[in-house]
C-alpha cells in the first residue's frame, strides 16, 4: 500500500486529454513538499517527466503538465498519442518516514 | 551525456549478501546526492536508500535499515549498495538515480540507470 495514492489505470483516445491524480496527506504533499512525475515505458527505466510540481525538463513535450493543490497533485496529458501509453508514477517526500522519498503506486495509461 | 550503469545483480539465497554497483559518467559525481530505488517486476517503485554527494550522510527506508548499506567512491565515480540478510521480498530490479543537488537526497531523480535484477531464492 503506497503512501501516495494513484488510480491503477486511466485511458483515453488519441487526441484526448487525460489526468492522473496523486493523493497524499499532511505529512507529504499537504506539508508543502514538491511532487515529481515519471514515465516508465514498457521494459525501460523510469524517466523524469515533471519536477517541482509543474516544471518540465528539456525535451519533454508541453503536452505534459503538472499541478498541485492541498494534499493532491495531478498530471495532465493533452493531445494523447499512442507513444504515451506507459506507467506513470508520482513522487514526493514524507516527513513522517525515515529516509527520503515516497512514490505513488503507479497508473497505467492505455491509449485506446 | 549523463550515464548511470548498474551491475552486480544476480541470484542469491535467502540470508545471503550481494553488492550492487552503479558507475556514473558525464557529470561531477561528488557534487550530487544519489539514491537506489527498487521495483518488483510488474509492481511499483520503492525508494531504498540515499547518500549525500560527500558520502557523509546516508538514509534508508525502514524496510532495509540495518541490512543494507549505501556508500560511494567519488574517486571512482561509483555508487554501491551492500545488501545483507537478503529476503525473498528484496527481489526486484534495483535502479540507481541521480539527485539534482548534493545535500540530502529527496528531490527528483534524473536520470535513472537501466537497472540490475536481484533474485532471492533457493
Amino acid at each position: 500500500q503506497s503512501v501516495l495514492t494513484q488510480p491503477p489505470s486511466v485511458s483515453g483516445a488519441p487526441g484526448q486529454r487525460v489526468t492522473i491524480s496523486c493523493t497524499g496527506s499532511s505529512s507529504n504533499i499537504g506539508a508543502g513538499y514538491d511532487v515529481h512525475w515519471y514515465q516508465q515505458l514498457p521494459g525501460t527505466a523510469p524517466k523524469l517527466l515533471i519536477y517541482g510540481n509543474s516544471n518540465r525538463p528539456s525535451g519533454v513535450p508541453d503536452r505534459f503538465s503538472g499541478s498541485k493543490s492541498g494534499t493532491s497533485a495531478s498530471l495532465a496529458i493533452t493531445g494523447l498519442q499512442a507513444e504515451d501509453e506507459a506507467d506513470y508514477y508520482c513522487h514526493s517526500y514524507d516527513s513522517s518516514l525515515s529516509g527520503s522519498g515516497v512514490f505513488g503506486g503507479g497508473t497505467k495509461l492505455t491509449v485506446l | 551525456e549523463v550515464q548511470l550503469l548498474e551491475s552486480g545483480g544476480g541470484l542469491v539465497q535467502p540470508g545471503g549478501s550481494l553488492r550492487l554497483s552503479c558507475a556514473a559518467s558525464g557529470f561531477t559525481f561528488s557534487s550530487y546526492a544519489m539514491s537506489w530505488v527498487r521495483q518488483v517486476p510488474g509492481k511499483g517503485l520503492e525508494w531504498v536508500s540515499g547518500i549525500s554527494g560527500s558520502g557523509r550522510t546516508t538514509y534508508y527506508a525502514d524496510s532495509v535499515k540495518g541490512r543494507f548499506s549505501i556508500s560511494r567512491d567519488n574517486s571512482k565515480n561509483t555508487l554501491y549498495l551492500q545488501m545483507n540478510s537478503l529476503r525473498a521480498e528484496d527481489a526486484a530490479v534495483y535502479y540507481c538515480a541521480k539527485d539534482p543537488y548534493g545535500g540530502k537526497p529527496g528531490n527528483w531523480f534524473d536520470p535513472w540507470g537501466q537497472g540490475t535484477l536481484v533474485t532471492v531464492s533457493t
Side-chain angles (χ1 to χ4, degrees):
Chain A
Q1 195 159 344
S2 302
V3 174
L4 304 178
T5 301
Q6 298 180 232
S9 64
V10 298
S11 62
Q16 285 190 332
R17 177 182 187 269
V18 296
T19 61
I20 298 173
S21 62
C22 174
T23 303
S25 66
S26 59
S27 62
N28 42 68
I29 299 174
Y33 295 109
D34 286 342
V35 178
H36 322 296
W37 292 90
Y38 304 90
Q39 177 193 59
Q40 187 175 33
L41 298 170
T44 69
K47 169 194 164 187
L48 180 67
L49 203 59
I50 297 287
Y51 67 95
N53 304 316
S54 59
N55 301 291
R56 281 188 311 276
S58 60
V60 173
D62 59 6
R63 301 186 295 105
F64 295 90
S65 63
S67 63
K68 175 188 149 184
S69 178
T71 59
S72 295
S74 289
L75 173 70
I77 310 172
T78 58
L80 208 56
Q81 299 180 3
E83 66 206 49
D84 298 333
E85 188 160 293
D87 293 324
Y88 293 84
Y89 293 91
C90 61
H91 167 218
S92 186
Y93 179 85
D94 193 297
S95 60
S96 70
L97 300 173
S98 66
S100 186
V102 288
F103 288 94
T107 298
K108 169 67 177 179
L109 168 63
T110 300
V111 180
L112 302 171
Chain B
E1 180 191 4
V2 175
Q3 287 194 325
L4 301 172
L5 185 62
E6 302 95 334
S7 61
L11 174 63
V12 61
Q13 292 187 341
S17 298
L18 209 57
R19 189 176 85 154
L20 306 182
S21 298
C22 171
S25 61
F27 64 103
T28 305
F29 183 65
S30 60
S31 295
Y32 297 93
M34 298 289 294
S35 282
W36 288 98
V37 179
R38 67 185 179 185
Q39 183 176 36
V40 175
K43 302 297 183 182
L45 301 169
E46 180 189 15
W47 176 84
V48 172
S49 182
I51 188 169
S52 62
S54 66
R56 283 194 289 267
T57 316
T58 58
Y59 306 86
Y60 300 93
D62 287 341
S63 57
V64 306
K65 198 175 293 183
R67 301 186 299 120
F68 289 14
S69 176
I70 191 171
S71 62
R72 63 193 298 160
D73 186 335
N74 287 341
S75 68
K76 295 183 178 179
N77 291 347
T78 303
L79 175 73
Y80 302 101
L81 185 67
Q82 178 66 44
M83 305 186 294
N84 299 329
S85 303
L86 281 161
R87 307 167 179 167
E89 55 264 35
D90 295 318
V93 174
Y94 284 73
Y95 296 100
C96 65
K98 174 182 168 290
D99 200 273
Y101 307 115
K104 178 180 179 180
N107 300 283
W108 58 92
F109 299 132
D110 181 43
W112 300 53
Q114 88 292 344
T116 187
L117 178 63
V118 172
T119 303
V120 183
S121 175
T122 55

